[in-house]
Amino acid sequence: LRVVKFRRTGESSRSDEDAISGEHEVQIEGVRTELEAVELEDGAAVPKEFANPTDDTFMVEDAVEAIGFGKFQWKLSVITGLAWASNYAMEMMILSILAPQLHCEWRLPSWQVALLTSVVFVGMMSSSTLWGNISDQYGRKTGLKISVLWTLYYGILSGFAPVYSWILVLRGLVGFGIGGVPQSVTLYAEFLPMKARAKCILLIEVFWALGTVFEVLLAVLVMPTLGWRWLLILSALPLLLFAVLCFWLPESARYDVLSGNQEKAIATLKRIATENGAPMPLGKLIISRQEDRGKMRDLFTPHFRWTTLLLWFIWFSNAFSYYGLVLLTTEFFQAGDVCSISSKRKAVKAKCSLTCEYLTEEDYTDLLWTTLSEFPGVLVTLWIIDRIGRKKTMALSFLVFSFCSLLLFLCVGRNVLTVLLFIARAFISGGFQAAYVYTPEVYPTATRALGLGSCSGMARVGALITPFIAQVMLESSVYLTLAVYSGCCLLAAVASCFLPIETKGRGLQESSHREWGQEMVGRGSHSPGVTRSDSGSQE
């Protein structure tokens, strides 16, 4: 059994003699101590009983767990939340405000209005994997900073677009930058201890809701007087604040170790320990095997092939259902109930395609109420994710959404309709956040950003397709539309159950050359006869 010693950051370590004389053997009943090997520089190994007993080693995971959650993580939570609110939620919420305004002001036909939304998702889809590759190759902080500055630049330029073609291109470039926002979750997760990781990532959803609420309130103040151009410019300004705060962000210590930059990783860990007032493990930081990072083929190794394919479908279903529900909510509320929506649609068809209506105060109020439904979804997911696990949480979220979609087949009144839509959106948003927890946990450091980026890209495919279901197919059959969403989520629930790996209670995997979860052997439970050597592998 390896004894891990700690010291306060800034204190000098004891001498070898003091360390030996002060070291006590710890006996734990039922745990069999085995010889541990110390790997030498030439590749040879000697039994640890013949090695210097003070030559302890630790991994980044050891340090993160020892330092724990403190002042540094609180600051990081606020900064990550700011990225989520300003670079993601606000820019996405603009779509529902900008489209009807330009529809009226520039007299755009319906397909051009729809294209304003689709082009943002095209940009996100095309860039998500690229940002993940950049983050794995050059660092999480580097990829995040470039994507934020990119979005800030083109977001401000959008406010000066003279004609439709210009704003179409500029909003597509904004979407290209937004595709890098999920990398903030990768950086965030790699600094969180195991017990706090799920709760903290889920609470990022609160910043999403706050960002959308802020955007609606900003639109209420700006749109009647200054217009949509100033709304675009002012909405991009919070990104400037985040860009400045990015200089405070350290690079991920896990990434630094994997890329062979041991000194920088140690400096980062000591900085975190100092801010948290917590001890650092004594000994030498293990340098993980340097690997090729950000390679798509690594997502399809025998160990991760099924995980990647199932996660792609789960993320696709999440975005497909979430944004589909947002579009359906507007359609259902305008019709009054599900049963009368067909007749309403026929009446709309008879109108000129250029007929437009500006958003009213009541419309903005409905947008606020719809957004608020995500808060209970976060709370429910937060309560169950560490109790039943990540896989079952995602499966439950999909099942509840599917069930609510089937209940919409009934001719319910507006009040019941509102309740069903409220519950459905709460659970699908909670399931989306559960996927954001699971995905960074399941992939190793070498491919974590790429894995999350590719999943985010698949989500954008779902977001691209869903308008054709929620708006085009709805004109033909409301019941077929609901059946598509219900069936898709039912399949996603099955896919969640078939995921090969449950990440509940496990540490982040450092190397793809180790079996999954070995970094946490002995932490979550002490299995008889299992120890961890200095190289981090099981004996």
Side-chain angles (χ1 to χ4, degrees), residues 413-454:
R414 187 181 180 90
N415 291 335
V416 178
L417 174 66
T418 303
V419 171
L420 290 176
L421 293 175
F422 190 95
I423 295 173
R425 180 160 178 177
F427 273 89
I428 197 63
S429 63
F432 220 147
Q433 287 305 303
Y436 267 108
V437 173
Y438 180 86
T439 306
E441 290 182 335
V442 78
Y443 286 111
T445 302
T447 55
R448 185 170 297 128
L450 179 62
L452 183 62
S454 65

Short mmCIF file of all heavy atoms in Angstrom, two decimals, residues 413-454:
data_model
loop_
_atom_site.label_atom_id
_atom_site.label_comp_id
_atom_site.label_asym_id
_atom_site.label_seq_id
_atom_site.Cartn_x
_atom_site.Cartn_y
_atom_site.Cartn_z
N GLY A 413 -56.04 21.25 -23.25
CA GLY A 413 -56.18 22.70 -23.26
C GLY A 413 -54.84 23.40 -23.15
O GLY A 413 -53.78 22.78 -22.98
N ARG A 414 -54.89 24.73 -23.20
CA ARG A 414 -53.65 25.50 -23.19
C ARG A 414 -52.87 25.34 -21.88
O ARG A 414 -51.64 25.26 -21.89
CB ARG A 414 -53.95 26.98 -23.43
CG ARG A 414 -52.70 27.83 -23.59
CD ARG A 414 -53.03 29.31 -23.80
NE ARG A 414 -51.83 30.11 -23.94
CZ ARG A 414 -51.22 30.37 -25.09
NH1 ARG A 414 -51.73 29.88 -26.22
NH2 ARG A 414 -50.14 31.12 -25.13
N ASN A 415 -53.58 25.26 -20.75
CA ASN A 415 -52.90 25.12 -19.46
C ASN A 415 -52.14 23.79 -19.36
O ASN A 415 -50.98 23.75 -18.95
CB ASN A 415 -53.89 25.25 -18.31
CG ASN A 415 -54.45 26.66 -18.19
OD1 ASN A 415 -53.82 27.62 -18.62
ND2 ASN A 415 -55.64 26.78 -17.61
N VAL A 416 -52.83 22.72 -19.73
CA VAL A 416 -52.17 21.40 -19.70
C VAL A 416 -51.04 21.34 -20.72
O VAL A 416 -49.98 20.77 -20.47
CB VAL A 416 -53.20 20.28 -19.96
CG1 VAL A 416 -52.51 18.91 -19.98
CG2 VAL A 416 -54.29 20.30 -18.90
N LEU A 417 -51.28 21.96 -21.88
CA LEU A 417 -50.24 22.02 -22.91
C LEU A 417 -48.99 22.72 -22.38
O LEU A 417 -47.85 22.25 -22.59
CB LEU A 417 -50.78 22.77 -24.13
CG LEU A 417 -49.79 23.06 -25.27
CD1 LEU A 417 -49.32 21.77 -25.93
CD2 LEU A 417 -50.42 24.00 -26.31
N THR A 418 -49.20 23.83 -21.67
CA THR A 418 -48.06 24.56 -21.11
C THR A 418 -47.29 23.71 -20.11
O THR A 418 -46.05 23.71 -20.10
CB THR A 418 -48.55 25.85 -20.42
OG1 THR A 418 -49.28 26.64 -21.36
CG2 THR A 418 -47.38 26.65 -19.87
N VAL A 419 -48.02 22.96 -19.27
CA VAL A 419 -47.37 22.10 -18.27
C VAL A 419 -46.54 21.01 -18.96
O VAL A 419 -45.40 20.73 -18.56
CB VAL A 419 -48.42 21.49 -17.33
CG1 VAL A 419 -47.77 20.43 -16.43
CG2 VAL A 419 -49.07 22.57 -16.48
N LEU A 420 -47.12 20.37 -19.97
CA LEU A 420 -46.41 19.30 -20.67
C LEU A 420 -45.16 19.82 -21.37
O LEU A 420 -44.09 19.18 -21.33
CB LEU A 420 -47.34 18.63 -21.69
CG LEU A 420 -48.48 17.78 -21.12
CD1 LEU A 420 -49.37 17.26 -22.24
CD2 LEU A 420 -47.93 16.62 -20.30
N LEU A 421 -45.28 20.98 -22.03
CA LEU A 421 -44.11 21.57 -22.69
C LEU A 421 -43.05 21.99 -21.67
O LEU A 421 -41.85 21.85 -21.91
CB LEU A 421 -44.53 22.78 -23.52
CG LEU A 421 -45.42 22.49 -24.74
CD1 LEU A 421 -45.87 23.79 -25.40
CD2 LEU A 421 -44.68 21.62 -25.76
N PHE A 422 -43.50 22.48 -20.52
CA PHE A 422 -42.59 22.88 -19.46
C PHE A 422 -41.79 21.68 -18.95
O PHE A 422 -40.56 21.74 -18.82
CB PHE A 422 -43.41 23.49 -18.31
CG PHE A 422 -42.58 24.16 -17.25
CD1 PHE A 422 -42.34 25.52 -17.30
CD2 PHE A 422 -42.07 23.43 -16.19
CE1 PHE A 422 -41.59 26.14 -16.30
CE2 PHE A 422 -41.31 24.04 -15.21
CZ PHE A 422 -41.07 25.40 -15.25
N ILE A 423 -42.49 20.56 -18.68
CA ILE A 423 -41.82 19.35 -18.19
C ILE A 423 -40.87 18.79 -19.25
O ILE A 423 -39.74 18.39 -18.94
CB ILE A 423 -42.86 18.30 -17.78
CG1 ILE A 423 -43.69 18.80 -16.59
CG2 ILE A 423 -42.19 16.97 -17.42
CD1 ILE A 423 -44.85 17.89 -16.23
N ALA A 424 -41.35 18.74 -20.50
CA ALA A 424 -40.53 18.18 -21.57
C ALA A 424 -39.24 18.98 -21.75
O ALA A 424 -38.15 18.40 -21.85
CB ALA A 424 -41.33 18.17 -22.88
N ARG A 425 -39.34 20.30 -21.73
CA ARG A 425 -38.14 21.12 -21.92
C ARG A 425 -37.21 21.01 -20.70
O ARG A 425 -35.98 21.02 -20.84
CB ARG A 425 -38.51 22.57 -22.17
CG ARG A 425 -37.27 23.44 -22.37
CD ARG A 425 -37.57 24.73 -23.09
NE ARG A 425 -36.37 25.55 -23.22
CZ ARG A 425 -36.34 26.71 -23.85
NH1 ARG A 425 -37.43 27.18 -24.42
NH2 ARG A 425 -35.21 27.41 -23.93
N ALA A 426 -37.79 20.91 -19.52
CA ALA A 426 -36.97 20.78 -18.32
C ALA A 426 -36.10 19.52 -18.38
O ALA A 426 -34.90 19.55 -18.09
CB ALA A 426 -37.85 20.75 -17.07
N PHE A 427 -36.69 18.42 -18.81
CA PHE A 427 -35.95 17.16 -18.81
C PHE A 427 -34.99 17.06 -19.99
O PHE A 427 -33.89 16.50 -19.84
CB PHE A 427 -36.93 15.98 -18.81
CG PHE A 427 -37.35 15.58 -17.43
CD1 PHE A 427 -38.46 16.16 -16.83
CD2 PHE A 427 -36.64 14.63 -16.71
CE1 PHE A 427 -38.85 15.81 -15.54
CE2 PHE A 427 -37.01 14.27 -15.43
CZ PHE A 427 -38.12 14.87 -14.84
N ILE A 428 -35.36 17.58 -21.15
CA ILE A 428 -34.43 17.48 -22.28
C ILE A 428 -33.23 18.39 -22.07
O ILE A 428 -32.11 18.06 -22.47
CB ILE A 428 -35.14 17.79 -23.63
CG1 ILE A 428 -34.31 17.28 -24.81
CG2 ILE A 428 -35.43 19.26 -23.78
CD1 ILE A 428 -34.14 15.78 -24.83
N SER A 429 -33.43 19.54 -21.41
CA SER A 429 -32.29 20.41 -21.10
C SER A 429 -31.41 19.77 -20.04
O SER A 429 -30.17 19.86 -20.10
CB SER A 429 -32.77 21.79 -20.65
OG SER A 429 -33.51 21.71 -19.45
N GLY A 430 -32.03 19.09 -19.06
CA GLY A 430 -31.25 18.38 -18.05
C GLY A 430 -30.47 17.22 -18.65
O GLY A 430 -29.31 16.98 -18.27
N GLY A 431 -31.08 16.51 -19.61
CA GLY A 431 -30.37 15.44 -20.29
C GLY A 431 -29.20 15.95 -21.11
O GLY A 431 -28.16 15.29 -21.21
N PHE A 432 -29.37 17.13 -21.70
CA PHE A 432 -28.28 17.75 -22.46
C PHE A 432 -27.09 18.02 -21.55
O PHE A 432 -25.93 17.75 -21.90
CB PHE A 432 -28.78 19.07 -23.06
CG PHE A 432 -28.28 19.31 -24.47
CD1 PHE A 432 -29.06 19.99 -25.40
CD2 PHE A 432 -27.03 18.87 -24.87
CE1 PHE A 432 -28.62 20.22 -26.70
CE2 PHE A 432 -26.57 19.09 -26.17
CZ PHE A 432 -27.36 19.76 -27.07
N GLN A 433 -27.36 18.53 -20.36
CA GLN A 433 -26.27 18.81 -19.41
C GLN A 433 -25.63 17.53 -18.89
O GLN A 433 -24.43 17.48 -18.63
CB GLN A 433 -26.79 19.65 -18.25
CG GLN A 433 -27.08 21.09 -18.62
CD GLN A 433 -25.88 21.77 -19.25
OE1 GLN A 433 -24.80 21.83 -18.68
NE2 GLN A 433 -26.07 22.30 -20.45
N ALA A 434 -26.43 16.48 -18.73
CA ALA A 434 -25.86 15.18 -18.32
C ALA A 434 -24.88 14.67 -19.37
O ALA A 434 -23.84 14.08 -19.03
CB ALA A 434 -26.98 14.16 -18.10
N ALA A 435 -25.18 14.92 -20.65
CA ALA A 435 -24.25 14.53 -21.71
C ALA A 435 -22.97 15.35 -21.64
O ALA A 435 -21.88 14.84 -21.91
CB ALA A 435 -24.92 14.72 -23.08
N TYR A 436 -23.09 16.62 -21.24
CA TYR A 436 -21.90 17.46 -21.07
C TYR A 436 -21.05 16.98 -19.89
O TYR A 436 -19.84 17.21 -19.87
CB TYR A 436 -22.30 18.92 -20.86
CG TYR A 436 -22.35 19.73 -22.13
CD1 TYR A 436 -23.56 20.13 -22.68
CD2 TYR A 436 -21.18 20.10 -22.78
CE1 TYR A 436 -23.61 20.87 -23.85
CE2 TYR A 436 -21.21 20.83 -23.95
CZ TYR A 436 -22.43 21.22 -24.48
OH TYR A 436 -22.47 21.95 -25.65
N VAL A 437 -21.67 16.35 -18.90
CA VAL A 437 -20.91 15.78 -17.78
C VAL A 437 -20.21 14.49 -18.22
O VAL A 437 -19.01 14.28 -17.96
CB VAL A 437 -21.84 15.49 -16.58
CG1 VAL A 437 -21.08 14.74 -15.48
CG2 VAL A 437 -22.40 16.79 -16.03
N TYR A 438 -20.95 13.63 -18.89
CA TYR A 438 -20.45 12.29 -19.23
C TYR A 438 -19.32 12.32 -20.26
O TYR A 438 -18.31 11.62 -20.11
CB TYR A 438 -21.61 11.44 -19.77
CG TYR A 438 -21.23 10.04 -20.16
CD1 TYR A 438 -21.20 9.02 -19.22
CD2 TYR A 438 -20.90 9.73 -21.48
CE1 TYR A 438 -20.85 7.73 -19.58
CE2 TYR A 438 -20.54 8.45 -21.86
CZ TYR A 438 -20.52 7.45 -20.90
OH TYR A 438 -20.16 6.18 -21.26
N THR A 439 -19.47 13.14 -21.30
CA THR A 439 -18.53 13.10 -22.42
C THR A 439 -17.09 13.45 -22.04
O THR A 439 -16.17 12.71 -22.40
CB THR A 439 -19.02 14.00 -23.56
OG1 THR A 439 -20.38 13.64 -23.91
CG2 THR A 439 -18.15 13.85 -24.80
N PRO A 440 -16.83 14.54 -21.29
CA PRO A 440 -15.44 14.79 -20.90
C PRO A 440 -14.88 13.72 -19.96
O PRO A 440 -13.67 13.52 -19.90
CB PRO A 440 -15.51 16.15 -20.19
CG PRO A 440 -16.78 16.77 -20.63
CD PRO A 440 -17.71 15.63 -20.87
N GLU A 441 -15.77 13.06 -19.22
CA GLU A 441 -15.31 12.04 -18.27
C GLU A 441 -14.90 10.74 -18.95
O GLU A 441 -14.03 10.02 -18.47
CB GLU A 441 -16.41 11.73 -17.24
CG GLU A 441 -16.67 12.86 -16.26
CD GLU A 441 -17.73 12.50 -15.23
OE1 GLU A 441 -18.58 11.63 -15.52
OE2 GLU A 441 -17.71 13.08 -14.14
N VAL A 442 -15.51 10.43 -20.07
CA VAL A 442 -15.32 9.12 -20.67
C VAL A 442 -14.09 9.05 -21.56
O VAL A 442 -13.50 7.98 -21.74
CB VAL A 442 -16.59 8.69 -21.45
CG1 VAL A 442 -16.67 9.37 -22.80
CG2 VAL A 442 -16.65 7.17 -21.61
N TYR A 443 -13.67 10.20 -22.13
CA TYR A 443 -12.52 10.20 -23.04
C TYR A 443 -11.24 10.54 -22.30
O TYR A 443 -11.25 11.31 -21.35
CB TYR A 443 -12.73 11.20 -24.17
CG TYR A 443 -13.74 10.76 -25.21
CD1 TYR A 443 -14.97 11.40 -25.33
CD2 TYR A 443 -13.46 9.68 -26.06
CE1 TYR A 443 -15.90 11.00 -26.29
CE2 TYR A 443 -14.38 9.27 -27.01
CZ TYR A 443 -15.60 9.92 -27.12
OH TYR A 443 -16.51 9.51 -28.05
N PRO A 444 -10.10 9.98 -22.73
CA PRO A 444 -8.81 10.32 -22.11
C PRO A 444 -8.37 11.73 -22.50
O PRO A 444 -8.92 12.34 -23.43
CB PRO A 444 -7.85 9.27 -22.69
CG PRO A 444 -8.47 8.88 -24.00
CD PRO A 444 -9.95 8.96 -23.79
N THR A 445 -7.36 12.23 -21.78
CA THR A 445 -6.91 13.60 -21.99
C THR A 445 -6.50 13.87 -23.44
O THR A 445 -6.73 14.95 -23.98
CB THR A 445 -5.73 13.91 -21.05
OG1 THR A 445 -6.17 13.70 -19.69
CG2 THR A 445 -5.26 15.34 -21.20
N ALA A 446 -5.88 12.86 -24.09
CA ALA A 446 -5.36 13.05 -25.45
C ALA A 446 -6.46 13.33 -26.46
O ALA A 446 -6.23 13.99 -27.47
CB ALA A 446 -4.56 11.82 -25.88
N THR A 447 -7.68 12.84 -26.20
CA THR A 447 -8.77 13.01 -27.16
C THR A 447 -10.01 13.63 -26.53
O THR A 447 -11.07 13.63 -27.14
CB THR A 447 -9.16 11.65 -27.79
OG1 THR A 447 -9.47 10.73 -26.74
CG2 THR A 447 -8.03 11.10 -28.63
N ARG A 448 -9.89 14.15 -25.32
CA ARG A 448 -11.08 14.66 -24.61
C ARG A 448 -11.72 15.83 -25.35
O ARG A 448 -12.94 15.86 -25.55
CB ARG A 448 -10.69 15.07 -23.19
CG ARG A 448 -11.90 15.50 -22.33
CD ARG A 448 -11.49 15.66 -20.87
NE ARG A 448 -11.06 14.37 -20.35
CZ ARG A 448 -9.89 14.18 -19.72
NH1 ARG A 448 -9.05 15.19 -19.58
NH2 ARG A 448 -9.58 12.99 -19.26
N ALA A 449 -10.91 16.81 -25.75
CA ALA A 449 -11.46 17.98 -26.45
C ALA A 449 -12.03 17.59 -27.81
O ALA A 449 -13.09 18.08 -28.22
CB ALA A 449 -10.38 19.05 -26.61
N LEU A 450 -11.34 16.71 -28.52
CA LEU A 450 -11.83 16.26 -29.82
C LEU A 450 -13.12 15.47 -29.68
O LEU A 450 -14.05 15.63 -30.48
CB LEU A 450 -10.77 15.42 -30.52
CG LEU A 450 -11.14 14.85 -31.89
CD1 LEU A 450 -11.42 15.98 -32.88
CD2 LEU A 450 -10.03 13.94 -32.43
N GLY A 451 -13.19 14.61 -28.66
CA GLY A 451 -14.41 13.84 -28.43
C GLY A 451 -15.60 14.73 -28.15
O GLY A 451 -16.68 14.55 -28.72
N LEU A 452 -15.40 15.73 -27.27
CA LEU A 452 -16.48 16.66 -26.97
C LEU A 452 -16.83 17.50 -28.19
O LEU A 452 -18.01 17.75 -28.47
CB LEU A 452 -16.07 17.56 -25.80
CG LEU A 452 -17.13 18.55 -25.30
CD1 LEU A 452 -18.36 17.81 -24.78
CD2 LEU A 452 -16.55 19.45 -24.22
N GLY A 453 -15.82 17.92 -28.96
CA GLY A 453 -16.08 18.72 -30.15
C GLY A 453 -16.84 17.96 -31.21
O GLY A 453 -17.75 18.51 -31.84
N SER A 454 -16.49 16.70 -31.42
CA SER A 454 -17.19 15.91 -32.43
C SER A 454 -18.64 15.64 -32.02
O SER A 454 -19.55 15.66 -32.86
CB SER A 454 -16.46 14.58 -32.67
OG SER A 454 -16.48 13.77 -31.52
#
